[in-house]
Amino acid sequence: MTVTADMAVSLDGYIAGTDVAVDNPGGDGAEPLFEWIHDLASWRERQGMTGGEENRDSELMREWFDATGAVVMGRTMYDTGEEFWGDNPPFRTPVFVLTHRPRPALVKEGGTIFTFVTDGIHSALDQAKAAAGDRNVDIAGGASTVQQYLGAGLIDELQLHVVPALLGAGLRLFEGLGPGRRDVEAVRVVDTPLATHLKYRFVK
């Protein structure tokens, strides 16, 4: 089992724009980070739609979907996505939501079950590992959640989809990790017209 994080990032290191809010989940100016995904066949399939582009980008997205057996996310990501995801969210796996506000588990269509975890990142990861079986656990976001897991050394592989755009401001992925060197080794580099896909493994 591998603990992963899979993030779209601008060339200058931002994973969201400014003024992120429940009604503005990507933040202002962040459209280039996500618009390349919307026409991919694998992404559209997960949203219950048909059509889309079958290309290398779509293959990489499908690879992530197929390999992931459970997801951990922060409460802000859940709150910003809840209405958009609707009754049949795209995860189709157990999802563990870090929160300070207890809430009963929420069962959705397609195999997605949201469990709200109030006792920290280690508990959420332990529960996700138990639910994932022999598949991966993905730390989905947002920025603060990924930073907490990176800072604690709990992520094994990090895949960055580097989009050819400069946002100039917003939420940076690698801020607030705390002191200490973290060595990584390159696993794969895939360059397409839409993004450069970089996969790294942390050396532990």
Side-chain angles (χ1 to χ4, degrees), residues 26-77:
D28 293 340
E31 292 81 6
L33 295 179
F34 310 110
E35 59 191 9
W36 66 277
I37 300 173
H38 296 160
D39 288 331
L40 302 182
S42 56
W43 187 89
R44 291 177 62 83
E45 178 185 306
R46 278 290 174 132
Q47 312 305 314
M49 298 182 287
T50 58
E53 296 290 330
E54 284 288 4
N55 53 27
R56 189 68 175 112
D57 306 277
S58 184
E59 290 173 2
L60 293 173
M61 189 66 60
R62 183 175 285 109
E63 175 186 90
W64 177 87
F65 285 137
D66 291 345
T68 300
V71 171
V72 176
M73 69 175 60
R75 184 62 186 256
T76 299
M77 182 175 177

Side-chain angles (χ1 to χ4, degrees), residues 9 12-17 142-152 158 168-179 182:
V9 59
D12 50 349
Y14 294 100
I15 61 171
S144 174
T145 297
V146 175
Q147 287 163 352
Q148 288 180 68
Y149 280 97
L150 283 173
L158 176 65
L171 295 177
R172 289 188 181 275
L173 177 57
F174 296 115
E175 285 187 351
L177 299 185
R182 296 164 178 83

Side-chain angles (χ1 to χ4, degrees), residues 156-198:
D156 302 312
E157 287 186 357
L158 176 65
Q159 181 160 239
L160 301 176
H161 309 282
V162 182
V163 178
L166 300 171
L167 297 192
L171 295 177
R172 289 188 181 275
L173 177 57
F174 296 115
E175 285 187 351
L177 299 185
R181 173 174 167 174
R182 296 164 178 83
D183 292 329
V184 297
E185 58 184 12
V187 176
R188 180 176 67 195
V189 177
V190 178
D191 186 30
T192 78
L194 297 179
T196 300
H197 309 276
L198 308 173

Side-chain angles (χ1 to χ4, degrees), residues 120-143:
I121 64 172
H122 291 86
S123 175
L125 183 57
D126 288 344
Q127 292 181 61
K129 285 181 174 180
D134 58 357
R135 298 165 73 196
N136 295 341
V137 173
D138 189 74
I139 311 302

